[in-house]
Amino acid sequence: MAFCSCTFKVNCSFQRPSIPAKVEDLKGSIPSALKPLSRDLVHFPVVAGIPKAVKETCFKLLDTFVDFVFEFVDQPLLPSQSNFAPVEEIGEAVRVTTVEGKIPDDFPEGVYIRNGSNPLFGGLKSTKSIFGKSSHVWVEGEGMLHALHFTREKRRVTWNMFYNNKHVQTDTFKMEIHRKKPGFLPAVEGDSPAILLAYALNVLRFGTANKYLSNTNIFEHSKKYYSIAENHFPQEIDIYSLETLGNWNVNGAWDRPFTSHPKKAPGTNELVIMGIYPRKPYFELGVISADGKKIVHKVDLKFNRCSLCHDMGVTERYNVIMDFPLTIDINRLIRGDSLIKYDKDGYARIGVMPRYGDANSVRWFDVQPSCVFHLINCFEDNDEVVVRGCRARESILPRPDPKVKRFERFSKGSEETSSTKNENESLEELFFFRVYEWRLNMRTGKVKEKNVITKFFMEFPMINEKFIGLRNKFCYLQVVDIEASSTSDGLVKYGGLAKLQFGEDMELIKVEYHMLPEGNFCSGATFVPKPQGIDEDDGWLVTFTHNENTNTSQVYVVDAKKFATHPIATIKIPSRVPYGFHGAFMPL
């Protein structure tokens, strides 16, 4: 099922038992690291002088202990989640020949590539032991790239298209593939004793508390291409073969997690990045040179908490930073609480800083608490910095408490009655994302906030990347039709795309929808500009789609100027493509 639907159709079990004294003693040995923000942890100096044979024996004993005490089990998928199941690598690229419609003559040669979760060994795992249960959350799973190559014959008459998929081979991917069985214990959700012990055992056995997933996004900088999730460094990728070429830490200058959504600064093509970590410094910002060879600016912004910042923005002169009350704190886990917590009564603020500023130069604006994962764009408008993004009033992380009966419709697909309809509608308003705008006045310090009223809930925004940091008119989003298409079993039948147009006075003046046939949903949509385009919306929307009725996958090409019409081309993919996260088009 589509992204927003699946989020709630999961087993929402989370127990909070008291912590035995022996488990409490583990606190001292657990590093301050936490998925999805873990990185290489401190290697224990005590093992440095131990003979190799002794160390190998210790590792074997630890493995034997894990095999004896912990049972790995597959997390079940509901029928509505069948396209979240992983697929195997197909090996060599396969020629694609089944196309309905026509690829435009002025469509650029290039690679449409999308990243997403594709767990090893058949699916996401949970563990059971005498210490309790622990499990991965649904966004976890090793990264897999799905790519469709568009090339022309020499005479430029016909198109050649090839599809391939391949796992991103992070360091931890190689560890588990070598073992040929699950090794890392889930360490995010579940019973606190089990999670704490999983952290300790993962560090002792692998040197890191969690796997490096690299499953979220794909981006380009200085003609090199990278796969990324913000729990580790990016991995450089050969977009022709999809082979992993190695980690990118900017020649050793960046030593912490790397945001999934770096932004190119208008005018300079420098890459603005951030990295968050659950021990101080909680938030660091960096600026990478246009050639990708060095960091020209790096600064600790002196956060007093680890906010789960997934995205950031840039304008012509500024960096835009989000500090919202979705936070990560391992001390909560030790107290028997959730690792990730959203505090709806906590403070929220947006920071605007000069491109090469420091913590003292950030201008902070207090805003209403909410959850924001993705920004649409930021730009300057006279005295104001305008920030647009996708906002929900509350967070779906951690999962809703199953003790609250009103969540049953989302977690179990229970039948909606007239007495619960209004309550459920309010839940949808709380937890589903809509477009939102903040106007931050740099002269007066005042903030104007407003919802952008649309028919459907919207997420995964994209724009013509030529306008990043500049004033733009159009944005495109993935949508699901919750209100009109939800059935009595809680499933959603319709998904699609939306095109929003803003006027000069910042009011939304036009919304168009490109809805897919019933039972079809999209992921990884991206805007492909026309090479010789003049208008901002000269181009196409390209997206992977999946037909749940036939269990087949396609690539849709939609004319951005004729948005509400049928796709101009539907390309059948020879392998099922599971739902994923972000996509990009890399011109050749």
Side-chain angles (χ1 to χ4, degrees):
M1 192 47 68
F3 167 79
C4 292
S5 172
C6 175
T7 301
F8 293 100
K9 295 191 67 59
V10 290
N11 180 8
C12 297
S13 60
F14 187 84
Q15 304 175 28
R16 298 178 181 174
S18 59
I19 308 298
K22 290 184 178 180
V23 176
E24 181 71 24
D25 292 339
L26 286 172
K27 178 177 179 180
S29 65
I30 300 296
S32 301
L34 168 62
K35 169 65 185 73
L37 307 166
S38 61
R39 63 176 177 179
D40 280 343
L41 304 178
V42 177
H43 291 278
F44 297 100
V46 70
V47 303
I50 298 177
K52 180 179 179 181
V54 176
K55 288 191 286 187
E56 290 180 351
T57 300
C58 291
F59 292 146
K60 289 179 180 179
L61 288 173
L62 285 170
D63 282 345
T64 301
F65 174 78
V66 169
D67 292 340
F68 181 76
V69 174
F70 292 88
E71 177 188 0
F72 283 91
V73 294
D74 287 328
Q75 293 185 24
L77 290 172
L78 297 175
S80 61
Q81 299 170 334
S82 62
N83 197 43
F84 285 93
V87 295
E88 297 294 327
E89 293 183 359
I90 64 173
E92 297 297 324
V94 176
R95 187 174 185 129
V96 176
T97 58
T98 305
V99 181
E100 294 182 12
K102 183 177 183 296
I103 309 290
D105 292 338
D106 53 352
F107 193 84
E109 292 185 289
V111 183
Y112 169 48
I113 188 167
R114 200 222 63 200
N115 208 340
S117 169
N118 198 82
L120 289 173
F121 309 117
L124 290 174
K125 307 299 180 186
S126 297
T127 59
K128 297 186 294 184
S129 72
I130 59 173
F131 302 97
K133 298 179 180 179
S134 68
S135 63
H136 295 294
V137 294
W138 72 273
V139 295
E140 293 184 284
E142 283 72 15
M144 176 175 272
L145 303 175
H146 299 263
L148 184 62
H149 294 249
F150 294 83
T151 58
R152 300 292 293 263
E153 297 285 357
K154 290 183 179 180
R155 295 183 180 181
R156 305 188 63 82
V157 176
T158 59
W159 285 96
N160 288 326
M161 290 176 288
F162 290 88
Y163 166 78
N164 202 359
N165 66 358
K166 194 175 291 293
H167 273 112
V168 182
Q169 295 197 1
T170 64
D171 298 336
T172 58
F173 174 92
K174 295 174 184 177
M175 293 179 191
E176 288 212 314
I177 284 294
H178 178 73
R179 295 170 56 87
K180 300 181 180 179
K181 65 178 183 179
F184 279 83
L185 297 168
V188 177
E189 246 183 7
D191 299 327
S192 295
I195 295 177
L196 286 168
L197 189 57
Y199 264 83
L201 288 170
N202 286 345
V203 170
L204 288 170
R205 296 161 70 219
F206 302 109
T208 180
N210 278 284
K211 293 190 283 188
Y212 307 137
L213 299 178
S214 197
N215 67 8
T216 306
N217 200 7
I218 185 93
F219 68 93
E220 175 272 337
H221 187 59
S222 187
K223 302 301 181 181
K224 293 185 177 181
Y225 307 92
Y226 302 95
S227 172
I228 183 63
E230 63 256 28
N231 66 342
H232 194 43
F233 305 129
Q235 284 70 51
E236 185 180 351
I237 301 296
D238 182 327
I239 60 169
Y240 298 97
S241 67
L242 302 187
E243 296 290 341
T244 304
L245 303 179
N247 297 329
W248 183 45
N249 60 7
V250 200
N251 293 318
W254 191 257
D255 61 353
R256 62 171 36 226
F258 193 109
T259 178
S260 291
H261 295 283
K263 295 293 193 300
K264 286 194 178 181
T268 68
N269 278 330
E270 293 171 325
L271 193 69
V272 183
I273 65 173
M274 66 177 183
I276 55 177
Y277 196 61
R279 71 164 178 248
K280 291 184 177 180
Y282 294 122
F283 187 115
E284 287 188 342
L285 182 140
V287 182
I288 299 176
S289 60
D291 61 11
K293 295 181 178 180
K294 61 182 179 180
I295 292 183
V296 297
H297 185 66
K298 184 178 179 181
V299 60
D300 171 14
L301 293 188
K302 309 295 184 183
F303 276 34
N304 62 8
R305 64 184 180 184
C306 180
S307 297
L308 209 167
C309 305
H310 182 68
D311 202 351
M312 62 178 301
V314 293
T315 71
E316 291 180 277
R317 293 181 292 168
Y318 301 115
N319 307 316
V320 179
I321 305 121
M322 315 296 285
D323 182 12
F324 280 52
L326 179 60
T327 59
I328 300 175
D329 185 353
I330 198 169
N331 292 314
R332 287 198 296 259
L333 175 64
I334 295 169
R335 296 192 298 267
D337 204 345
S338 175
L339 293 167
I340 303 173
K341 184 175 182 179
Y342 176 74
D343 183 4
K344 64 181 179 181
D345 297 319
Y347 69 87
R349 57 183 186 164
I350 300 176
V352 180
M353 65 173 286
R355 180 77 72 239
Y356 310 106
D358 58 17
N360 295 325
S361 68
V362 182
R363 182 77 176 273
W364 289 107
F365 296 82
D366 293 329
V367 297
Q368 295 179 19
S370 57
C371 179
V372 178
F373 287 123
H374 297 114
L375 295 180
I376 296 170
N377 198 23
C378 306
F379 57 90
E380 300 166 37
D381 182 32
N382 297 320
D383 292 331
E384 294 179 320
V385 172
V386 179
V387 181
R388 291 180 183 147
C390 295
R391 170 190 182 269
R393 288 170 56 192
E394 296 191 18
S395 175
I396 58 176
L397 293 174
R399 295 174 181 178
D401 189 341
K403 296 177 182 179
V404 181
K405 292 184 178 180
R406 59 185 181 164
F407 287 108
E408 289 181 355
R409 174 171 174 245
F410 297 119
S411 61
K412 299 180 181 178
S414 59
E415 184 173 358
E416 181 182 70
T417 65
S418 59
S419 62
T420 63
K421 182 176 181 181
N422 290 336
E423 188 175 35
N424 284 331
E425 287 177 344
S426 65
L427 285 174
E428 291 162 353
E429 292 293 337
L430 286 175
F431 290 97
F432 286 90
F433 289 86
R434 290 190 182 275
V435 174
Y436 200 79
E437 181 181 274
W438 298 266
R439 298 181 66 86
L440 316 174
N441 194 302
M442 299 293 289
R443 181 176 56 83
T444 66
K446 293 184 177 180
V447 181
K448 296 178 183 177
E449 303 185 46
K450 69 175 181 180
N451 276 309
V452 178
I453 305 301
T454 57
K455 180 180 179 181
F456 301 141
F457 301 102
M458 303 179 175
E459 244 289 16
F460 291 96
M462 71 218 87
I463 65 171
N464 184 332
E465 291 192 352
K466 296 177 182 178
F467 290 83
I468 288 178
L470 306 175
R471 184 167 181 160
N472 67 309
K473 293 182 180 179
F474 300 101
C475 73
Y476 309 89
L477 305 101
Q478 295 174 195
V479 304
V480 290
D481 186 350
I482 299 293
E483 297 177 354
S485 70
S486 292
T487 60
S488 61
D489 60 3
L491 304 182
V492 177
K493 297 192 296 183
Y494 297 104
L497 300 165
K499 176 184 179 180
L500 276 61
Q501 180 179 353
F502 293 89
E504 291 298 321
D505 58 357
M506 301 299 118
E507 293 294 329
L508 181 63
I509 62 172
K510 188 177 182 180
V511 183
E512 296 180 86
Y513 296 103
H514 183 98
M515 300 307 293
L516 303 175
E518 180 178 337
N520 285 255
F521 300 92
C522 60
S523 68
T526 190
F527 180 85
V528 181
K530 286 187 178 182
Q532 305 301 323
I534 298 175
D535 297 332
E536 181 185 336
D537 61 344
D538 277 339
W540 304 270
L541 270 293
V542 182
T543 183
F544 279 101
T545 69
H546 185 73
N547 186 324
E548 298 195 346
N549 301 314
T550 62
N551 200 31
T552 56
S553 300
Q554 306 83 28
V555 166
Y556 269 37
V557 181
V558 178
D559 190 327
K561 280 188 172 292
K562 301 176 181 177
F563 192 76
T565 60
H566 293 290
I568 57 176
T570 302
I571 305 161
K572 186 176 180 180
I573 302 301
S575 171
R576 178 174 66 86
V577 179
Y579 296 125
F581 303 128
H582 298 281
F585 187 87
M586 308 298 186
L588 298 179

